[in-house]
Amino acid sequence: QVQLVESGGRLVQAGESLRLSCVASGRTFGSFSMGWFRQSPGKEREFVARISANGNATYYADSLKGRFSISRDHTKNTMYLQMNSLKPEDTAIYYCAAQTGAYVFDYWGQGTQVTVSS
């Protein structure tokens, strides 16, 4: 079992930056990949970014490359999503997830709301 708790979401102005955090517990932090997803009202949940178990490999949705950055701190059991130059279309609930198996993200946090006003 992996427990995930996100934080950091809030209301910001377009162009501002924001960093989300996700604290993981219940399993050795360096033993699973992690990722961020988001869901806007009326839309399907979409992939944002993924980071490997050791943090050496990262992957991003093409549309977000260059603005978003994923990282993890093994001393704090925490994953981060740094979001820069935020746009109103980035407004969504952001979820962190853990991939303990081979192919799917099988543990999810409760989500944190990010709202970007124009």
Side-chain angles (χ1 to χ4, degrees):
Q1 291 280 352
V2 177
Q3 292 78 46
L4 302 169
V5 179
E6 305 98 330
S7 63
R10 61 181 178 90
L11 173 65
V12 296
Q13 298 285 330
E16 292 185 347
S17 297
L18 193 62
R19 188 177 79 162
L20 305 182
S21 300
C22 174
V23 178
S25 61
R27 192 161 172 164
T28 302
F29 187 68
S31 67
F32 51 89
S33 298
M34 298 184 74
W36 288 98
F37 293 77
R38 68 184 185 182
Q39 187 167 19
S40 305
K43 294 186 177 181
E44 296 286 322
R45 184 167 57 192
E46 65 174 344
F47 168 77
V48 173
R50 176 182 178 271
I51 187 166
S52 62
N54 62 11
N56 288 345
T58 57
Y59 310 88
Y60 297 91
D62 288 342
S63 62
L64 300 176
K65 287 179 182 177
R67 289 198 302 124
F68 287 18
S69 178
I70 189 171
S71 62
R72 62 194 297 169
D73 185 339
H74 291 256
T75 67
K76 298 181 179 179
N77 287 359
T78 302
M79 176 181 66
Y80 302 99
L81 183 68
Q82 177 67 42
M83 304 184 292
N84 298 326
S85 302
L86 282 162
K87 305 174 180 179
E89 51 263 43
D90 295 318
T91 295
I93 300 174
Y94 284 72
Y95 299 90
C96 74
Q99 181 182 358
T100 64
Y103 302 110
V104 299
F105 285 91
D106 45 356
Y107 294 96
W108 295 82
Q110 81 289 349
T112 186
Q113 176 71 51
V114 172
T115 303
V116 184
S117 64
S118 57

mmCIF file with all atom_site columns, all heavy atoms in Angstrom, residues 23-47:
data_model
loop_
_atom_site.group_PDB
_atom_site.id
_atom_site.type_symbol
_atom_site.label_atom_id
_atom_site.label_alt_id
_atom_site.label_comp_id
_atom_site.label_asym_id
_atom_site.label_entity_id
_atom_site.label_seq_id
_atom_site.pdbx_PDB_ins_code
_atom_site.Cartn_x
_atom_site.Cartn_y
_atom_site.Cartn_z
_atom_site.occupancy
_atom_site.B_iso_or_equiv
_atom_site.pdbx_formal_charge
_atom_site.auth_seq_id
_atom_site.auth_comp_id
_atom_site.auth_asym_id
_atom_site.auth_atom_id
_atom_site.pdbx_PDB_model_num
ATOM 1   N N   . VAL A 1 23 ? 3.516   13.902 -0.824  1.00 0.00 ? 23 VAL A N   1
ATOM 2   C CA  . VAL A 1 23 ? 4.222   13.094 0.155   1.00 0.00 ? 23 VAL A CA  1
ATOM 3   C C   . VAL A 1 23 ? 3.725   11.663 0.084   1.00 0.00 ? 23 VAL A C   1
ATOM 4   O O   . VAL A 1 23 ? 2.509   11.412 0.114   1.00 0.00 ? 23 VAL A O   1
ATOM 5   C CB  . VAL A 1 23 ? 4.025   13.647 1.576   1.00 0.00 ? 23 VAL A CB  1
ATOM 6   C CG1 . VAL A 1 23 ? 4.729   12.766 2.590   1.00 0.00 ? 23 VAL A CG1 1
ATOM 7   C CG2 . VAL A 1 23 ? 4.538   15.084 1.667   1.00 0.00 ? 23 VAL A CG2 1
ATOM 8   N N   . ALA A 1 24 ? 4.665   10.728 0.002   1.00 0.00 ? 24 ALA A N   1
ATOM 9   C CA  . ALA A 1 24 ? 4.317   9.316  -0.103  1.00 0.00 ? 24 ALA A CA  1
ATOM 10  C C   . ALA A 1 24 ? 4.713   8.583  1.170   1.00 0.00 ? 24 ALA A C   1
ATOM 11  O O   . ALA A 1 24 ? 5.742   8.906  1.790   1.00 0.00 ? 24 ALA A O   1
ATOM 12  C CB  . ALA A 1 24 ? 5.009   8.691  -1.302  1.00 0.00 ? 24 ALA A CB  1
ATOM 13  N N   . SER A 1 25 ? 3.929   7.595  1.535   1.00 0.00 ? 25 SER A N   1
ATOM 14  C CA  . SER A 1 25 ? 4.245   6.772  2.694   1.00 0.00 ? 25 SER A CA  1
ATOM 15  C C   . SER A 1 25 ? 3.716   5.363  2.464   1.00 0.00 ? 25 SER A C   1
ATOM 16  O O   . SER A 1 25 ? 2.894   5.141  1.570   1.00 0.00 ? 25 SER A O   1
ATOM 17  C CB  . SER A 1 25 ? 3.636   7.361  3.971   1.00 0.00 ? 25 SER A CB  1
ATOM 18  O OG  . SER A 1 25 ? 2.229   7.424  3.867   1.00 0.00 ? 25 SER A OG  1
ATOM 19  N N   . GLY A 1 26 ? 4.209   4.434  3.280   1.00 0.00 ? 26 GLY A N   1
ATOM 20  C CA  . GLY A 1 26 ? 3.702   3.067  3.225   1.00 0.00 ? 26 GLY A CA  1
ATOM 21  C C   . GLY A 1 26 ? 4.582   2.086  2.490   1.00 0.00 ? 26 GLY A C   1
ATOM 22  O O   . GLY A 1 26 ? 4.405   0.884  2.591   1.00 0.00 ? 26 GLY A O   1
ATOM 23  N N   . ARG A 1 27 ? 5.543   2.600  1.712   1.00 0.00 ? 27 ARG A N   1
ATOM 24  C CA  . ARG A 1 27 ? 6.423   1.744  0.929   1.00 0.00 ? 27 ARG A CA  1
ATOM 25  C C   . ARG A 1 27 ? 7.732   2.502  0.714   1.00 0.00 ? 27 ARG A C   1
ATOM 26  O O   . ARG A 1 27 ? 7.746   3.725  0.712   1.00 0.00 ? 27 ARG A O   1
ATOM 27  C CB  . ARG A 1 27 ? 5.765   1.410  -0.393  1.00 0.00 ? 27 ARG A CB  1
ATOM 28  C CG  . ARG A 1 27 ? 6.435   0.301  -1.179  1.00 0.00 ? 27 ARG A CG  1
ATOM 29  C CD  . ARG A 1 27 ? 5.485   -0.272 -2.203  1.00 0.00 ? 27 ARG A CD  1
ATOM 30  N NE  . ARG A 1 27 ? 6.146   -1.209 -3.104  1.00 0.00 ? 27 ARG A NE  1
ATOM 31  C CZ  . ARG A 1 27 ? 5.508   -2.067 -3.869  1.00 0.00 ? 27 ARG A CZ  1
ATOM 32  N NH1 . ARG A 1 27 ? 4.193   -2.105 -3.870  1.00 0.00 ? 27 ARG A NH1 1
ATOM 33  N NH2 . ARG A 1 27 ? 6.172   -2.872 -4.658  1.00 0.00 ? 27 ARG A NH2 1
ATOM 34  N N   . THR A 1 28 ? 8.806   1.771  0.531   1.00 0.00 ? 28 THR A N   1
ATOM 35  C CA  . THR A 1 28 ? 10.103  2.410  0.302   1.00 0.00 ? 28 THR A CA  1
ATOM 36  C C   . THR A 1 28 ? 10.016  3.376  -0.875  1.00 0.00 ? 28 THR A C   1
ATOM 37  O O   . THR A 1 28 ? 9.691   2.988  -1.992  1.00 0.00 ? 28 THR A O   1
ATOM 38  C CB  . THR A 1 28 ? 11.179  1.356  0.012   1.00 0.00 ? 28 THR A CB  1
ATOM 39  O OG1 . THR A 1 28 ? 11.244  0.443  1.110   1.00 0.00 ? 28 THR A OG1 1
ATOM 40  C CG2 . THR A 1 28 ? 12.540  2.013  -0.169  1.00 0.00 ? 28 THR A CG2 1
ATOM 41  N N   . PHE A 1 29 ? 10.315  4.654  -0.608  1.00 0.00 ? 29 PHE A N   1
ATOM 42  C CA  . PHE A 1 29 ? 10.064  5.712  -1.588  1.00 0.00 ? 29 PHE A CA  1
ATOM 43  C C   . PHE A 1 29 ? 10.780  5.477  -2.910  1.00 0.00 ? 29 PHE A C   1
ATOM 44  O O   . PHE A 1 29 ? 10.261  5.786  -3.976  1.00 0.00 ? 29 PHE A O   1
ATOM 45  C CB  . PHE A 1 29 ? 10.480  7.064  -0.988  1.00 0.00 ? 29 PHE A CB  1
ATOM 46  C CG  . PHE A 1 29 ? 10.109  8.243  -1.841  1.00 0.00 ? 29 PHE A CG  1
ATOM 47  C CD1 . PHE A 1 29 ? 8.786   8.595  -2.018  1.00 0.00 ? 29 PHE A CD1 1
ATOM 48  C CD2 . PHE A 1 29 ? 11.097  9.011  -2.448  1.00 0.00 ? 29 PHE A CD2 1
ATOM 49  C CE1 . PHE A 1 29 ? 8.440   9.690  -2.804  1.00 0.00 ? 29 PHE A CE1 1
ATOM 50  C CE2 . PHE A 1 29 ? 10.770  10.101 -3.218  1.00 0.00 ? 29 PHE A CE2 1
ATOM 51  C CZ  . PHE A 1 29 ? 9.429   10.449 -3.396  1.00 0.00 ? 29 PHE A CZ  1
ATOM 52  N N   . GLY A 1 30 ? 11.961  4.960  -2.857  1.00 0.00 ? 30 GLY A N   1
ATOM 53  C CA  . GLY A 1 30 ? 12.735  4.768  -4.079  1.00 0.00 ? 30 GLY A CA  1
ATOM 54  C C   . GLY A 1 30 ? 12.411  3.501  -4.842  1.00 0.00 ? 30 GLY A C   1
ATOM 55  O O   . GLY A 1 30 ? 13.138  3.144  -5.773  1.00 0.00 ? 30 GLY A O   1
ATOM 56  N N   . SER A 1 31 ? 11.331  2.834  -4.493  1.00 0.00 ? 31 SER A N   1
ATOM 57  C CA  . SER A 1 31 ? 11.014  1.563  -5.125  1.00 0.00 ? 31 SER A CA  1
ATOM 58  C C   . SER A 1 31 ? 9.926   1.669  -6.195  1.00 0.00 ? 31 SER A C   1
ATOM 59  O O   . SER A 1 31 ? 9.563   0.649  -6.796  1.00 0.00 ? 31 SER A O   1
ATOM 60  C CB  . SER A 1 31 ? 10.585  0.533  -4.077  1.00 0.00 ? 31 SER A CB  1
ATOM 61  O OG  . SER A 1 31 ? 9.342   0.892  -3.478  1.00 0.00 ? 31 SER A OG  1
ATOM 62  N N   . PHE A 1 32 ? 9.402   2.857  -6.454  1.00 0.00 ? 32 PHE A N   1
ATOM 63  C CA  . PHE A 1 32 ? 8.329   2.983  -7.431  1.00 0.00 ? 32 PHE A CA  1
ATOM 64  C C   . PHE A 1 32 ? 8.422   4.304  -8.187  1.00 0.00 ? 32 PHE A C   1
ATOM 65  O O   . PHE A 1 32 ? 8.893   5.315  -7.663  1.00 0.00 ? 32 PHE A O   1
ATOM 66  C CB  . PHE A 1 32 ? 6.950   2.848  -6.771  1.00 0.00 ? 32 PHE A CB  1
ATOM 67  C CG  . PHE A 1 32 ? 6.737   3.730  -5.571  1.00 0.00 ? 32 PHE A CG  1
ATOM 68  C CD1 . PHE A 1 32 ? 6.237   5.019  -5.707  1.00 0.00 ? 32 PHE A CD1 1
ATOM 69  C CD2 . PHE A 1 32 ? 7.028   3.264  -4.296  1.00 0.00 ? 32 PHE A CD2 1
ATOM 70  C CE1 . PHE A 1 32 ? 6.046   5.829  -4.602  1.00 0.00 ? 32 PHE A CE1 1
ATOM 71  C CE2 . PHE A 1 32 ? 6.834   4.065  -3.182  1.00 0.00 ? 32 PHE A CE2 1
ATOM 72  C CZ  . PHE A 1 32 ? 6.344   5.354  -3.336  1.00 0.00 ? 32 PHE A CZ  1
ATOM 73  N N   . SER A 1 33 ? 7.973   4.253  -9.431  1.00 0.00 ? 33 SER A N   1
ATOM 74  C CA  . SER A 1 33 ? 7.858   5.464  -10.221 1.00 0.00 ? 33 SER A CA  1
ATOM 75  C C   . SER A 1 33 ? 6.660   6.270  -9.738  1.00 0.00 ? 33 SER A C   1
ATOM 76  O O   . SER A 1 33 ? 5.735   5.736  -9.107  1.00 0.00 ? 33 SER A O   1
ATOM 77  C CB  . SER A 1 33 ? 7.664   5.122  -11.701 1.00 0.00 ? 33 SER A CB  1
ATOM 78  O OG  . SER A 1 33 ? 8.766   4.417  -12.199 1.00 0.00 ? 33 SER A OG  1
ATOM 79  N N   . MET A 1 34 ? 6.669   7.544  -10.074 1.00 0.00 ? 34 MET A N   1
ATOM 80  C CA  . MET A 1 34 ? 5.562   8.403  -9.682  1.00 0.00 ? 34 MET A CA  1
ATOM 81  C C   . MET A 1 34 ? 5.198   9.337  -10.838 1.00 0.00 ? 34 MET A C   1
ATOM 82  O O   . MET A 1 34 ? 5.989   9.536  -11.769 1.00 0.00 ? 34 MET A O   1
ATOM 83  C CB  . MET A 1 34 ? 5.926   9.231  -8.450  1.00 0.00 ? 34 MET A CB  1
ATOM 84  C CG  . MET A 1 34 ? 6.217   8.397  -7.223  1.00 0.00 ? 34 MET A CG  1
ATOM 85  S SD  . MET A 1 34 ? 6.526   9.400  -5.765  1.00 0.00 ? 34 MET A SD  1
ATOM 86  C CE  . MET A 1 34 ? 4.844   9.948  -5.393  1.00 0.00 ? 34 MET A CE  1
ATOM 87  N N   . GLY A 1 35 ? 4.020   9.888  -10.749 1.00 0.00 ? 35 GLY A N   1
ATOM 88  C CA  . GLY A 1 35 ? 3.600   10.786 -11.812 1.00 0.00 ? 35 GLY A CA  1
ATOM 89  C C   . GLY A 1 35 ? 2.580   11.798 -11.346 1.00 0.00 ? 35 GLY A C   1
ATOM 90  O O   . GLY A 1 35 ? 2.026   11.699 -10.237 1.00 0.00 ? 35 GLY A O   1
ATOM 91  N N   . TRP A 1 36 ? 2.362   12.782 -12.192 1.00 0.00 ? 36 TRP A N   1
ATOM 92  C CA  . TRP A 1 36 ? 1.322   13.780 -11.991 1.00 0.00 ? 36 TRP A CA  1
ATOM 93  C C   . TRP A 1 36 ? 0.323   13.692 -13.145 1.00 0.00 ? 36 TRP A C   1
ATOM 94  O O   . TRP A 1 36 ? 0.715   13.543 -14.314 1.00 0.00 ? 36 TRP A O   1
ATOM 95  C CB  . TRP A 1 36 ? 1.904   15.189 -11.955 1.00 0.00 ? 36 TRP A CB  1
ATOM 96  C CG  . TRP A 1 36 ? 2.681   15.511 -10.718 1.00 0.00 ? 36 TRP A CG  1
ATOM 97  C CD1 . TRP A 1 36 ? 4.029   15.472 -10.557 1.00 0.00 ? 36 TRP A CD1 1
ATOM 98  C CD2 . TRP A 1 36 ? 2.139   15.930 -9.457  1.00 0.00 ? 36 TRP A CD2 1
ATOM 99  N NE1 . TRP A 1 36 ? 4.371   15.840 -9.282  1.00 0.00 ? 36 TRP A NE1 1
ATOM 100 C CE2 . TRP A 1 36 ? 3.220   16.130 -8.587  1.00 0.00 ? 36 TRP A CE2 1
ATOM 101 C CE3 . TRP A 1 36 ? 0.848   16.168 -8.987  1.00 0.00 ? 36 TRP A CE3 1
ATOM 102 C CZ2 . TRP A 1 36 ? 3.057   16.555 -7.261  1.00 0.00 ? 36 TRP A CZ2 1
ATOM 103 C CZ3 . TRP A 1 36 ? 0.689   16.588 -7.678  1.00 0.00 ? 36 TRP A CZ3 1
ATOM 104 C CH2 . TRP A 1 36 ? 1.779   16.781 -6.833  1.00 0.00 ? 36 TRP A CH2 1
ATOM 105 N N   . PHE A 1 37 ? -0.937  13.822 -12.792 1.00 0.00 ? 37 PHE A N   1
ATOM 106 C CA  . PHE A 1 37 ? -2.022  13.877 -13.757 1.00 0.00 ? 37 PHE A CA  1
ATOM 107 C C   . PHE A 1 37 ? -2.900  15.066 -13.390 1.00 0.00 ? 37 PHE A C   1
ATOM 108 O O   . PHE A 1 37 ? -2.807  15.596 -12.278 1.00 0.00 ? 37 PHE A O   1
ATOM 109 C CB  . PHE A 1 37 ? -2.850  12.581 -13.708 1.00 0.00 ? 37 PHE A CB  1
ATOM 110 C CG  . PHE A 1 37 ? -2.107  11.370 -14.180 1.00 0.00 ? 37 PHE A CG  1
ATOM 111 C CD1 . PHE A 1 37 ? -1.158  10.756 -13.365 1.00 0.00 ? 37 PHE A CD1 1
ATOM 112 C CD2 . PHE A 1 37 ? -2.339  10.834 -15.432 1.00 0.00 ? 37 PHE A CD2 1
ATOM 113 C CE1 . PHE A 1 37 ? -0.457  9.635  -13.796 1.00 0.00 ? 37 PHE A CE1 1
ATOM 114 C CE2 . PHE A 1 37 ? -1.654  9.715  -15.870 1.00 0.00 ? 37 PHE A CE2 1
ATOM 115 C CZ  . PHE A 1 37 ? -0.715  9.116  -15.048 1.00 0.00 ? 37 PHE A CZ  1
ATOM 116 N N   . ARG A 1 38 ? -3.752  15.469 -14.313 1.00 0.00 ? 38 ARG A N   1
ATOM 117 C CA  . ARG A 1 38 ? -4.678  16.546 -13.996 1.00 0.00 ? 38 ARG A CA  1
ATOM 118 C C   . ARG A 1 38 ? -6.006  16.315 -14.700 1.00 0.00 ? 38 ARG A C   1
ATOM 119 O O   . ARG A 1 38 ? -6.069  15.642 -15.730 1.00 0.00 ? 38 ARG A O   1
ATOM 120 C CB  . ARG A 1 38 ? -4.099  17.911 -14.378 1.00 0.00 ? 38 ARG A CB  1
ATOM 121 C CG  . ARG A 1 38 ? -3.945  18.153 -15.874 1.00 0.00 ? 38 ARG A CG  1
ATOM 122 C CD  . ARG A 1 38 ? -3.272  19.488 -16.130 1.00 0.00 ? 38 ARG A CD  1
ATOM 123 N NE  . ARG A 1 38 ? -3.214  19.809 -17.556 1.00 0.00 ? 38 ARG A NE  1
ATOM 124 C CZ  . ARG A 1 38 ? -2.648  20.902 -18.046 1.00 0.00 ? 38 ARG A CZ  1
ATOM 125 N NH1 . ARG A 1 38 ? -2.066  21.786 -17.239 1.00 0.00 ? 38 ARG A NH1 1
ATOM 126 N NH2 . ARG A 1 38 ? -2.646  21.131 -19.354 1.00 0.00 ? 38 ARG A NH2 1
ATOM 127 N N   . GLN A 1 39 ? -7.038  16.906 -14.116 1.00 0.00 ? 39 GLN A N   1
ATOM 128 C CA  . GLN A 1 39 ? -8.362  16.791 -14.699 1.00 0.00 ? 39 GLN A CA  1
ATOM 129 C C   . GLN A 1 39 ? -9.079  18.121 -14.578 1.00 0.00 ? 39 GLN A C   1
ATOM 130 O O   . GLN A 1 39 ? -9.252  18.650 -13.467 1.00 0.00 ? 39 GLN A O   1
ATOM 131 C CB  . GLN A 1 39 ? -9.178  15.690 -14.021 1.00 0.00 ? 39 GLN A CB  1
ATOM 132 C CG  . GLN A 1 39 ? -10.504 15.418 -14.704 1.00 0.00 ? 39 GLN A CG  1
ATOM 133 C CD  . GLN A 1 39 ? -11.153 14.139 -14.233 1.00 0.00 ? 39 GLN A CD  1
ATOM 134 O OE1 . GLN A 1 39 ? -10.838 13.604 -13.174 1.00 0.00 ? 39 GLN A OE1 1
ATOM 135 N NE2 . GLN A 1 39 ? -12.055 13.600 -15.033 1.00 0.00 ? 39 GLN A NE2 1
ATOM 136 N N   . SER A 1 40 ? -9.485  18.650 -15.732 1.00 0.00 ? 40 SER A N   1
ATOM 137 C CA  . SER A 1 40 ? -10.249 19.890 -15.788 1.00 0.00 ? 40 SER A CA  1
ATOM 138 C C   . SER A 1 40 ? -11.734 19.556 -15.862 1.00 0.00 ? 40 SER A C   1
ATOM 139 O O   . SER A 1 40 ? -12.098 18.461 -16.297 1.00 0.00 ? 40 SER A O   1
ATOM 140 C CB  . SER A 1 40 ? -9.840  20.703 -17.015 1.00 0.00 ? 40 SER A CB  1
ATOM 141 O OG  . SER A 1 40 ? -8.453  20.940 -17.027 1.00 0.00 ? 40 SER A OG  1
ATOM 142 N N   . PRO A 1 41 ? -12.584 20.479 -15.467 1.00 0.00 ? 41 PRO A N   1
ATOM 143 C CA  . PRO A 1 41 ? -14.029 20.222 -15.519 1.00 0.00 ? 41 PRO A CA  1
ATOM 144 C C   . PRO A 1 41 ? -14.483 19.816 -16.916 1.00 0.00 ? 41 PRO A C   1
ATOM 145 O O   . PRO A 1 41 ? -14.147 20.474 -17.901 1.00 0.00 ? 41 PRO A O   1
ATOM 146 C CB  . PRO A 1 41 ? -14.629 21.574 -15.108 1.00 0.00 ? 41 PRO A CB  1
ATOM 147 C CG  . PRO A 1 41 ? -13.587 22.208 -14.272 1.00 0.00 ? 41 PRO A CG  1
ATOM 148 C CD  . PRO A 1 41 ? -12.273 21.793 -14.877 1.00 0.00 ? 41 PRO A CD  1
ATOM 149 N N   . GLY A 1 42 ? -15.213 18.719 -16.992 1.00 0.00 ? 42 GLY A N   1
ATOM 150 C CA  . GLY A 1 42 ? -15.747 18.265 -18.265 1.00 0.00 ? 42 GLY A CA  1
ATOM 151 C C   . GLY A 1 42 ? -14.758 17.563 -19.163 1.00 0.00 ? 42 GLY A C   1
ATOM 152 O O   . GLY A 1 42 ? -15.081 17.217 -20.299 1.00 0.00 ? 42 GLY A O   1
ATOM 153 N N   . LYS A 1 43 ? -13.546 17.350 -18.671 1.00 0.00 ? 43 LYS A N   1
ATOM 154 C CA  . LYS A 1 43 ? -12.521 16.698 -19.493 1.00 0.00 ? 43 LYS A CA  1
ATOM 155 C C   . LYS A 1 43 ? -12.028 15.417 -18.840 1.00 0.00 ? 43 LYS A C   1
ATOM 156 O O   . LYS A 1 43 ? -12.192 15.221 -17.630 1.00 0.00 ? 43 LYS A O   1
ATOM 157 C CB  . LYS A 1 43 ? -11.341 17.648 -19.720 1.00 0.00 ? 43 LYS A CB  1
ATOM 158 C CG  . LYS A 1 43 ? -11.679 18.878 -20.543 1.00 0.00 ? 43 LYS A CG  1
ATOM 159 C CD  . LYS A 1 43 ? -10.430 19.693 -20.837 1.00 0.00 ? 43 LYS A CD  1
ATOM 160 C CE  . LYS A 1 43 ? -10.744 20.891 -21.712 1.00 0.00 ? 43 LYS A CE  1
ATOM 161 N NZ  . LYS A 1 43 ? -9.516  21.675 -22.028 1.00 0.00 ? 43 LYS A NZ  1
ATOM 162 N N   . GLU A 1 44 ? -11.403 14.585 -19.659 1.00 0.00 ? 44 GLU A N   1
ATOM 163 C CA  . GLU A 1 44 ? -10.799 13.368 -19.145 1.00 0.00 ? 44 GLU A CA  1
ATOM 164 C C   . GLU A 1 44 ? -9.521  13.713 -18.363 1.00 0.00 ? 44 GLU A C   1
ATOM 165 O O   . GLU A 1 44 ? -8.870  14.731 -18.617 1.00 0.00 ? 44 GLU A O   1
ATOM 166 C CB  . GLU A 1 44 ? -10.429 12.438 -20.302 1.00 0.00 ? 44 GLU A CB  1
ATOM 167 C CG  . GLU A 1 44 ? -11.604 11.928 -21.115 1.00 0.00 ? 44 GLU A CG  1
ATOM 168 C CD  . GLU A 1 44 ? -12.389 10.877 -20.362 1.00 0.00 ? 44 GLU A CD  1
ATOM 169 O OE1 . GLU A 1 44 ? -11.761 10.071 -19.662 1.00 0.00 ? 44 GLU A OE1 1
ATOM 170 O OE2 . GLU A 1 44 ? -13.627 10.868 -20.479 1.00 0.00 ? 44 GLU A OE2 1
ATOM 171 N N   . ARG A 1 45 ? -9.172  12.846 -17.431 1.00 0.00 ? 45 ARG A N   1
ATOM 172 C CA  . ARG A 1 45 ? -7.903  13.027 -16.733 1.00 0.00 ? 45 ARG A CA  1
ATOM 173 C C   . ARG A 1 45 ? -6.765  12.847 -17.733 1.00 0.00 ? 45 ARG A C   1
ATOM 174 O O   . ARG A 1 45 ? -6.791  11.930 -18.559 1.00 0.00 ? 45 ARG A O   1
ATOM 175 C CB  . ARG A 1 45 ? -7.791  12.025 -15.596 1.00 0.00 ? 45 ARG A CB  1
ATOM 176 C CG  . ARG A 1 45 ? -6.552  12.192 -14.736 1.00 0.00 ? 45 ARG A CG  1
ATOM 177 C CD  . ARG A 1 45 ? -6.669  11.396 -13.464 1.00 0.00 ? 45 ARG A CD  1
ATOM 178 N NE  . ARG A 1 45 ? -6.906  9.991  -13.710 1.00 0.00 ? 45 ARG A NE  1
ATOM 179 C CZ  . ARG A 1 45 ? -7.266  9.115  -12.777 1.00 0.00 ? 45 ARG A CZ  1
ATOM 180 N NH1 . ARG A 1 45 ? -7.442  9.525  -11.533 1.00 0.00 ? 45 ARG A NH1 1
ATOM 181 N NH2 . ARG A 1 45 ? -7.453  7.852  -13.083 1.00 0.00 ? 45 ARG A NH2 1
ATOM 182 N N   . GLU A 1 46 ? -5.767  13.711 -17.654 1.00 0.00 ? 46 GLU A N   1
ATOM 183 C CA  . GLU A 1 46 ? -4.660  13.653 -18.605 1.00 0.00 ? 46 GLU A CA  1
ATOM 184 C C   . GLU A 1 46 ? -3.319  13.556 -17.896 1.00 0.00 ? 46 GLU A C   1
ATOM 185 O O   . GLU A 1 46 ? -3.138  14.053 -16.778 1.00 0.00 ? 46 GLU A O   1
ATOM 186 C CB  . GLU A 1 46 ? -4.674  14.883 -19.525 1.00 0.00 ? 46 GLU A CB  1
ATOM 187 C CG  . GLU A 1 46 ? -4.438  16.193 -18.836 1.00 0.00 ? 46 GLU A CG  1
ATOM 188 C CD  . GLU A 1 46 ? -4.309  17.354 -19.832 1.00 0.00 ? 46 GLU A CD  1
ATOM 189 O OE1 . GLU A 1 46 ? -4.112  17.119 -21.036 1.00 0.00 ? 46 GLU A OE1 1
ATOM 190 O OE2 . GLU A 1 46 ? -4.406  18.514 -19.376 1.00 0.00 ? 46 GLU A OE2 1
ATOM 191 N N   . PHE A 1 47 ? -2.396  12.928 -18.581 1.00 0.00 ? 47 PHE A N   1
ATOM 192 C CA  . PHE A 1 47 ? -1.034  12.759 -18.080 1.00 0.00 ? 47 PHE A CA  1
ATOM 193 C C   . PHE A 1 47 ? -0.308  14.092 -18.108 1.00 0.00 ? 47 PHE A C   1
ATOM 194 O O   . PHE A 1 47 ? -0.407  14.848 -19.078 1.00 0.00 ? 47 PHE A O   1
ATOM 195 C CB  . PHE A 1 47 ? -0.306  11.731 -18.940 1.00 0.00 ? 47 PHE A CB  1
ATOM 196 C CG  . PHE A 1 47 ? 1.174   11.664 -18.714 1.00 0.00 ? 47 PHE A CG  1
ATOM 197 C CD1 . PHE A 1 47 ? 1.689   11.026 -17.599 1.00 0.00 ? 47 PHE A CD1 1
ATOM 198 C CD2 . PHE A 1 47 ? 2.054   12.233 -19.616 1.00 0.00 ? 47 PHE A CD2 1
ATOM 199 C CE1 . PHE A 1 47 ? 3.054   10.947 -17.392 1.00 0.00 ? 47 PHE A CE1 1
ATOM 200 C CE2 . PHE A 1 47 ? 3.419   12.161 -19.426 1.00 0.00 ? 47 PHE A CE2 1
ATOM 201 C CZ  . PHE A 1 47 ? 3.922   11.516 -18.308 1.00 0.00 ? 47 PHE A CZ  1
#
